[in-house]
Amino acid sequence: MKTFSDLTSYNKYLNLAEPLHPLMDSRVCKQAIPNFPKTSDEIQVNLFKISLKKNFSGDINYGNDKYYTENGLMLFSEPGQVVSWDSLTFWDGYAFVFHPDLIKQNPIAAKINQYKYFSYEINDALFMTAEEEETITWLFTKIHMELLENKAKANINLILSLINVVLSYADVFYERQFKDKATKTVSVASKVKSLLQNHYSDFSKPVISIPTVSTIAADLNLSSNYLTDLMRAETGKSTSHYIQQFIIEQAEILMHQTDLNISDVAYRLGFSNVPYFSRFFKKIKGISPTEVRNQRIV
């Protein structure tokens, strides 16, 4: 797998001109995308990227749902992302790509790790309203013009200040999206609960493994971080907390309603290590499985 850790080699792979600045580049999508290779095997890109996709309409796959939008969307990626494509979709808008060294001496370096949407997946895009798109377009245009006009002499502090505003707005817009999604679609907590119920639908035999945030997120076609943010917005609790509570409930049902010993309960729930199950249970409930079993009313 090819790896790109600098803008020059990455641009060359995409059939683009030299970056406007050694540590950052701004592209107009409708000008850049036609130059891209039509297909690409997996490549790893060790750069940050913030994209504004706009001026399109159509059905967009988003998680397990489809959305129709005529407004723009934003995508974020962090160093280490692996991408590939079989065909290209053409968009208008901007893409701002920068090397991690660009922000090392700027306060934004400490803040960027707090923006969890950099680890979201393609299906977790930020869908903007018309007003939000207008705001972000203005900011991207300012960034692009500063780079285009001054190139290597561009004012880094000015550009990073504008990027900071973009990220701050994105944070606010995502919160709006979480709330919109919770009110307009089936509850994400309901979807998670349904998956957990299916996972533990038959206690006549052990399940293969315990469900995790990553496996639940994959079933919903969402990234783990995005799923957890949706769950927090809807329930005030993390996905892992929700899963743990569900497993504990199943364990209590088995211990109160069957004669299975603690080891069998652990195996039926997908735990391959009984001591781990006991520690897990006690951490959540505050008492051991054996103590719960002894409380059973005969």
Side-chain angles (χ1 to χ4, degrees):
M1 180 171 61
K2 293 183 178 179
T3 300
F4 299 95
S5 298
D6 65 274
L7 285 161
T8 297
S9 62
Y10 184 45
N11 277 20
K12 185 176 181 180
Y13 180 77
L14 297 177
N15 299 320
L16 300 177
E18 285 285 317
L20 296 173
H21 186 281
L23 295 178
M24 55 183 163
D25 198 19
S26 177
R27 308 167 189 158
V28 177
C29 294
K30 65 181 179 182
Q31 296 173 357
I33 292 176
N35 296 312
F36 286 9
K38 301 304 179 185
T39 63
S40 174
D41 293 331
E42 287 190 340
I43 59 173
Q44 184 178 63
V45 184
N46 294 321
L47 303 165
F48 284 100
K49 183 177 181 181
I50 307 171
S51 300
L52 166 65
K53 313 289 188 181
K54 55 180 294 185
N55 295 342
F56 69 93
S57 62
D59 288 327
I60 305 297
N61 289 321
Y62 184 64
N64 284 339
D65 304 312
K66 273 193 172 183
Y67 291 78
Y68 181 84
T69 178
E70 293 184 349
N71 297 323
L73 59 86
M74 291 186 71
L75 296 169
F76 307 83
S77 58
E78 60 189 353
Q81 68 165 143
V82 175
V83 297
S84 63
W85 58 88
D86 296 320
S87 59
L88 290 175
T89 302
F90 293 88
W91 315 93
D92 193 0
Y94 292 101
F96 180 72
V97 185
F98 62 97
H99 193 281
D101 285 350
L102 180 70
I103 61 173
K104 282 185 176 178
Q105 298 183 26
N106 189 281
I108 198 173
K111 292 183 63 178
I112 205 162
N113 290 329
Q114 300 173 18
Y115 295 123
K116 289 179 285 186
Y117 46 74
F118 273 98
S119 61
Y120 289 170
E121 302 294 340
I122 187 73
N123 288 329
D124 309 328
L126 170 59
F127 285 74
M128 294 181 288
T129 66
E131 293 77 13
E132 291 169 354
E133 179 187 333
E134 183 178 353
T135 297
I136 297 299
T137 298
W138 185 88
L139 290 164
F140 265 98
T141 301
K142 292 296 182 183
I143 292 167
H144 184 75
M145 293 309 299
E146 173 63 24
L147 265 175
L148 187 64
E149 292 174 1
N150 298 303
K151 298 182 173 61
K153 296 182 179 180
N155 189 319
I156 293 177
N157 287 331
L158 172 61
I159 289 176
L160 290 183
S161 293
L162 291 168
I163 288 297
N164 189 52
V165 176
V166 169
L167 299 181
S168 296
Y169 268 123
D171 212 30
V172 173
F173 296 162
Y174 260 118
E175 288 300 318
R176 185 268 309 155
Q177 180 164 297
F178 295 148
K179 293 176 183 177
D180 288 351
K181 187 172 177 63
T183 57
K184 295 179 181 178
T185 64
V186 176
S187 161
V188 68
S190 296
K191 293 181 180 180
V192 172
K193 184 176 182 179
S194 178
L195 288 172
L196 292 171
Q197 289 172 329
N198 289 337
H199 190 81
Y200 289 120
S201 62
D202 182 7
F203 280 129
S204 65
K205 56 186 178 180
V207 298
I208 297 175
S209 61
I210 60 174
T212 65
V213 176
S214 60
T215 58
I216 293 294
D219 286 339
L220 293 174
N221 200 22
L222 299 171
S223 68
S224 297
N225 280 342
Y226 189 72
L227 172 60
T228 292
D229 285 345
L230 282 173
M231 288 290 287
R232 285 192 186 280
E234 184 178 311
T235 70
K237 299 177 181 178
S238 68
T239 313
S240 60
H241 178 87
Y242 195 90
I243 293 171
Q244 289 167 359
Q245 291 297 323
F246 190 91
I247 293 174
I248 292 298
E249 288 175 6
Q250 305 312 301
E252 290 183 295
I253 289 172
L254 287 174
M255 286 187 286
H256 283 300
Q257 299 183 16
T258 75
D259 292 323
L260 293 172
N261 59 41
I262 301 302
S263 295
D264 286 336
V265 169
Y267 293 137
R268 294 292 172 94
L269 293 171
F271 290 85
S272 59
N273 185 299
V274 178
Y276 172 66
F277 166 70
S278 296
R279 292 194 300 271
F280 171 87
F281 190 94
K282 188 169 185 177
K283 179 181 178 182
I284 305 300
K285 290 293 294 183
I287 59 176
S288 70
T290 301
E291 291 174 287
V292 171
R293 165 54 58 81
N294 293 337
Q295 293 173 354
R296 185 173 63 170
I297 300 175
V298 180

